[in-house]
Amino acid sequence: MPEIDLDEELLLGELKRQGVRARMAAWNDPAENWDEPLPTLVRSTWDYIHHIAAFRGWLARAERAGPLWNPRRVIECNLHKSYLFELERRGVAITPTQLIAAGSSRALEEILRERGWTDVVVKPAVGAGSFATRRFRASDFAAGGEFLSAALLERDMLVQPYLDSVDAWGERALVWIDGEFTHAVRKTPRFSGQDESVSEALAIDERERAIGNAAIDWCANDLLYARVDVAHGADGKLCVMELELIEPSLFLKQNPRALTRLAEGIASRLRRL
């Protein structure tokens, strides 16, 4: 947990209120017995991005011992942001995205010429918490090229156009808990080294709900929680920026009803074991 997750203490308190015994445990703590037959709820495993193979092994171990929420098959589909292309194949609008494989010598300026982009975000295909995420405008594309080339020595990277709509309307994080979208928050753009800034809870309108449902339709029956981050594209239509199914902040402080719903969802799953 490289940074504080405000959801955790709230959730632990609400679970206790509902009679559920729960505690936090680090996924990579060698002192933990992950073979104990207990359910595991994945929350703020934000350092997994640096230890993918170990994290995959932990997922398999935890799910062998007891139920894993969200389940491993869903988490593994969400580890690499190439899932965006699968959403696109399913007819869900996404932020235009160029994937560059690790080890590639592809130049940023070549990609920008082909795409016609003049303001871009460069980020890892496996990332969390704005790790190694930078914005580059036309005036600093040379620096952007150097950044991309260095990053490609270690990992797959994405290049996406910066969506101007996030400066005003914002990026909306749509929170889904146990069968329904509960609320949204407006997030300001966040890059490497910056803190996250979010609004109070917002209502979700019909267009947001429609794209949110389309994004999770393939796995909704398996989900306990999800977050769909959306914004308006250059054409003015909503598109998915990210689909968060592993360890998203759910902004439970902003919506006590969502907090109660999550705890109730966990409690009901425990009763069915």
Side-chain angles (χ1 to χ4, degrees):
M1 190 174 66
E3 58 185 273
I4 294 172
D5 180 4
L6 300 179
D7 290 343
E8 288 177 351
E9 291 302 322
L10 293 171
L11 180 57
L12 286 172
E14 182 62 20
L15 286 171
K16 182 177 180 179
R17 191 184 71 81
Q18 295 196 26
V20 175
R21 288 182 295 133
R23 66 180 180 88
M24 296 301 302
W27 71 272
N28 52 3
D29 183 350
E32 290 290 344
N33 178 14
W34 293 108
D35 299 316
E36 191 174 3
L38 294 172
T40 298
L41 174 70
V42 182
R43 292 308 304 128
S44 58
T45 56
W46 293 326
D47 56 353
Y48 80 86
I49 62 175
H50 306 296
H51 313 282
I52 291 294
F55 187 66
R56 287 181 184 274
W58 172 78
L59 290 171
R61 183 180 178 185
E63 192 165 74
R64 280 195 302 270
L68 187 66
W69 302 320
N70 286 328
R72 178 165 66 104
R73 84 164 188 94
V74 168
I75 291 175
E76 290 198 337
C77 287
N78 200 228
L79 286 170
H80 192 286
K81 290 183 174 59
S82 56
Y83 68 73
L84 288 168
F85 303 115
E86 180 59 31
L87 290 180
E88 189 174 41
R89 282 190 287 272
R90 293 173 182 271
V92 180
I94 65 167
T95 305
T97 301
Q98 179 78 45
L99 171 64
I100 309 102
S104 172
S105 59
R106 192 84 189 276
L108 179 62
E109 291 190 357
E110 176 187 351
I111 295 169
L112 302 181
R113 281 197 303 272
E114 290 178 358
R115 292 282 198 158
W117 297 339
T118 58
D119 189 352
V120 296
V121 175
V122 181
K123 61 185 180 182
V126 177
S130 75
F131 167 72
T133 298
R134 300 267 305 271
R135 178 185 180 184
F136 296 99
R137 299 174 178 83
S139 60
D140 52 8
F141 280 168
E146 293 177 2
F147 174 77
L148 177 61
S149 296
L152 287 171
L153 297 175
E154 300 181 0
R155 53 182 54 87
D156 295 348
M157 296 294 290
L158 303 181
V159 180
Q160 299 173 319
Y162 183 83
L163 301 182
D164 292 335
S165 67
V166 301
D167 292 329
W169 186 81
E171 176 183 349
R172 302 295 173 102
L174 314 179
V175 177
W176 189 97
I177 295 175
D178 197 27
E180 70 173 35
F181 282 100
T182 57
H183 65 292
V185 300
R186 179 188 183 277
K187 300 197 302 174
T188 57
R190 179 190 186 193
F191 300 102
S192 185
Q194 295 180 343
D195 293 329
E196 189 168 58
S197 176
V198 300
S199 71
E200 294 303 309
L202 303 172
I204 298 174
D205 68 27
E206 291 183 6
R207 295 175 306 148
E208 293 166 348
R209 194 175 301 276
I211 193 170
N213 282 324
I216 63 171
D217 178 68
W218 62 277
C219 62
N221 290 337
D222 294 328
L223 296 177
L224 173 60
Y225 57 85
R227 202 181 82 202
V228 186
D229 294 350
V230 302
H232 289 104
D235 60 0
K237 297 180 181 179
L238 283 176
C239 61
V240 172
M241 299 185 75
E242 292 200 6
L243 174 59
E244 300 271 10
L245 306 178
I246 304 173
E247 31 52 79
S249 294
L250 299 172
F251 309 110
L252 301 176
K253 181 180 179 181
Q254 280 88 339
N255 191 326
R257 187 179 72 83
L259 170 62
T260 300
R261 184 177 183 83
L262 179 57
E264 288 176 345
I266 294 167
S268 69
R269 282 164 173 76
L270 290 171
R271 289 192 292 270
R272 295 198 296 267
L273 292 180

